Amino acid sequence: MSINGLFPIEKWDFSSDSILSGLSMEDLEPLMTHRLEQVYKKGEVIFREGGFPQGIFYIMEGMVKKYKVNDSGREQLFYVANTGELIGYHAVLSEDRYPDSAAALENSRIAFIPKEDFLETLQRSPVLNSRLLKTLSREFAVLINGLSLIAQRSVKERLALQLIVLREKYKVDFKPGMPVSINMSREDLANLVGTATENAIRILTEFKEDGILETKGRKIIILDINRLIKIANYR
C-alpha cells in the first residue's frame, strides 16, 4: 500500500533521482560523454572517507550505503542511496576530501563522471544548478531529522521508522497489495538505526512474532506497514 498521507517520507528520504531525469540533451550529453560504467559487487567500496575526489558517481542500477567509520572501527550508516541518485558530489563542490565512504549494498552498476565534466555542466546549466541546490537543501533537512531521531527516539521506534523508509527505497515495479522485500544484512540495518546488531535482531523477532513482517534469509518482508507507522510514533 502507499503511505502517502500516512507518513511524511520526504522528511527521511532525500532521493535525488530527479537531478538528471529530464535534462536536455544539451546538458546531459557533456555530462555523460566521458562516463565510465562499472559493476560493483555487494560490499565493494566505491570511495573512502578522506580520499580526494576525481569525479562524482551516478547509480544507474543498484543500492549504495553511505557511512562513516568511528574510532572503534564501527560503521555509522546514515543513508541508503538507490537507482538514479548521485553520490560523491559534496567533496567535488567543496574542493575537499570525501567526508564519508560509500559501498555497494548489492551488485550495482554505477557510472563515474569526471569532475571537470560535472563542474563545467553545472556552471552553464541553470536547470542542473537549481536541482542540485534543491537536493542539497533537502539533504540538510533530512540529516537534521536523523540526528534528532537518534537523540529522541527509542531503538524500537528508530528501527520501525527505518524499515518504513527502506520499504519505499526497495519498491520495484510495485503494485498495491504487493509485499516489499528489504535485502539488507542485520549488521547494516543495526548501523543505520544506531544500535547493536543483537538489539536489531531481537526487535525484528518481536515484529515477526506480531505479524508485522517476515524474514527469508537476510530479506525482510514488510506485511503490515500501518503497524510500523504506529510504532514509529512520528508526530
Side-chain angles (χ1 to χ4, degrees), residues 134-163:
K134 182 178 180 180
T135 297
L136 285 167
S137 299
R138 290 185 61 199
E139 285 187 17
F140 179 74
V142 167
L143 290 174
I144 291 298
N145 284 336
L147 290 173
S148 65
L149 177 70
I150 295 293
Q152 300 174 10
R153 300 287 174 172
S154 69
V155 174
K156 190 172 185 178
E157 290 170 333
R158 299 201 307 263
L159 180 55
L161 190 145
Q162 293 295 356
L163 288 175

Side-chain angles (χ1 to χ4, degrees), residues 64-182:
V64 171
K65 64 179 179 181
K66 298 185 68 179
Y67 62 95
K68 293 180 72 70
V69 178
N70 62 23
D71 292 339
S72 62
R74 179 185 175 90
E75 289 183 7
Q76 297 173 315
L77 202 165
F78 63 89
Y79 186 67
V80 173
N82 55 6
T83 300
E85 296 196 49
L86 296 176
I87 57 174
Y89 61 89
H90 299 83
V92 171
L93 292 174
S94 64
E95 298 182 338
D96 203 349
R97 297 172 184 262
Y98 286 118
D100 50 33
S101 301
L105 276 172
E106 59 188 30
N107 292 347
S108 302
R109 185 165 58 94
I110 298 174
F112 169 80
I113 300 172
K115 66 179 180 181
E116 294 81 8
D117 293 348
F118 171 64
L119 292 173
E120 182 180 340
T121 305
L122 187 63
Q123 187 173 18
R124 62 184 181 79
S125 171
V127 174
L128 181 60
N129 214 305
S130 175
R131 289 180 178 181
L132 193 63
L133 182 60
K134 182 178 180 180
T135 297
L136 285 167
S137 299
R138 290 185 61 199
E139 285 187 17
F140 179 74
V142 167
L143 290 174
I144 291 298
N145 284 336
L147 290 173
S148 65
L149 177 70
I150 295 293
Q152 300 174 10
R153 300 287 174 172
S154 69
V155 174
K156 190 172 185 178
E157 290 170 333
R158 299 201 307 263
L159 180 55
L161 190 145
Q162 293 295 356
L163 288 175
I164 295 167
V165 174
L166 289 170
R167 176 183 178 270
E168 294 301 296
K169 290 180 177 293
Y170 276 89
K171 282 182 176 180
V172 178
D173 299 325
F174 180 76
K175 296 179 181 178
M178 179 186 297
V180 178
S181 295
I182 298 168

